[in-house]
Amino acid sequence: MDAELDVVSADPPTVRGPEAEGGLSAVLAFAPDGRLRTRIDAGGGYGRIHHAVVEDGRLFAVTATESGRGALFSGVVAFDLASGAELWRKDAGDAALDVTDGRVTMVRPGCNGDLMFGLDAATGDEEDEQGFRDRWVTAGSVLTYQDLVIVVRGGGKPHPFSVYERW
């Protein structure tokens, strides 16, 4: 294949292919023997995958569906890497996410400040929701460490950040 691939995960080996002429890009997961295990289209009823993270045999993707009137769906969708089946989806707007220790942490910028969601990675059930006064134009990335949530602003330089403590 003559293409650039983005590595999503080393374990299991998972890559995202570029948008192909006449088709959509896809996320490909491979078995230990190198054979293709699963193909998840980077676009579908859940929107287009903008960013993806692999944890515990699942793909967690930030997605958005756009139309002339704005986004129809934007949020996080979880897929099973063994079967490619969609497990759950959570409407969260244009959110940045981190998946660690069975928990999905999303931060969505808003008019009145950032809004953080904590979800159970297996079910998508909301476990926590907190609002913060900081207001980012875009949330570039999220990193969690113990009870801290670090949000790095995207969309320009420099990249200031905020650190929140979960309540």
Side-chain angles (χ1 to χ4, degrees), residues 96-107:
L97 87 145
D98 177 74
V99 183
T100 305
D101 297 330
R103 183 182 178 112
V104 177
T105 302
M106 300 180 302
V107 177

Side-chain angles (χ1 to χ4, degrees), residues 29 37-40 57-59 78-87:
R37 175 186 288 174
T38 307
R39 174 192 167 104
I40 299 169
R58 296 182 198 98
L59 178 81
F79 297 92
D80 178 27
L81 280 179
S83 67
E86 181 180 321
L87 300 172

Side-chain angles (χ1 to χ4, degrees), residues 22-48:
L24 295 173
S25 64
V27 176
L28 307 173
F30 297 90
D33 64 2
R35 293 180 190 244
L36 181 63
R37 175 186 288 174
T38 307
R39 174 192 167 104
I40 299 169
D41 286 334
Y46 42 81
R48 297 215 29 86

Side-chain angles (χ1 to χ4, degrees), residues 44-126:
Y46 42 81
R48 297 215 29 86
I49 294 176
H50 293 285
H51 175 70
V53 176
V54 171
E55 178 84 17
D56 293 330
R58 296 182 198 98
L59 178 81
F60 299 90
V62 176
T63 68
T65 302
E66 297 179 12
S67 72
R69 291 178 254 161
L72 297 174
F73 174 82
S74 58
V76 176
V77 182
F79 297 92
D80 178 27
L81 280 179
S83 67
E86 181 180 321
L87 300 172
W88 55 262
R89 68 173 76 176
K90 171 73 174 172
D91 187 5
D94 184 21
L97 87 145
D98 177 74
V99 183
T100 305
D101 297 330
R103 183 182 178 112
V104 177
T105 302
M106 300 180 302
V107 177
R108 180 181 71 202
C111 296
N112 298 318
D114 289 346
L115 186 59
M116 182 187 73
F117 299 93
L119 308 176
D120 180 280
T123 64
D125 292 339
E126 191 171 312

Side-chain angles (χ1 to χ4, degrees), residues 94 96 107 109 114 135-141 151-156:
D94 184 21
V107 177
D114 289 346
R135 181 177 175 251
W136 297 107
V137 175
T138 60
S141 59
V151 181
V152 180
R153 187 179 86 180

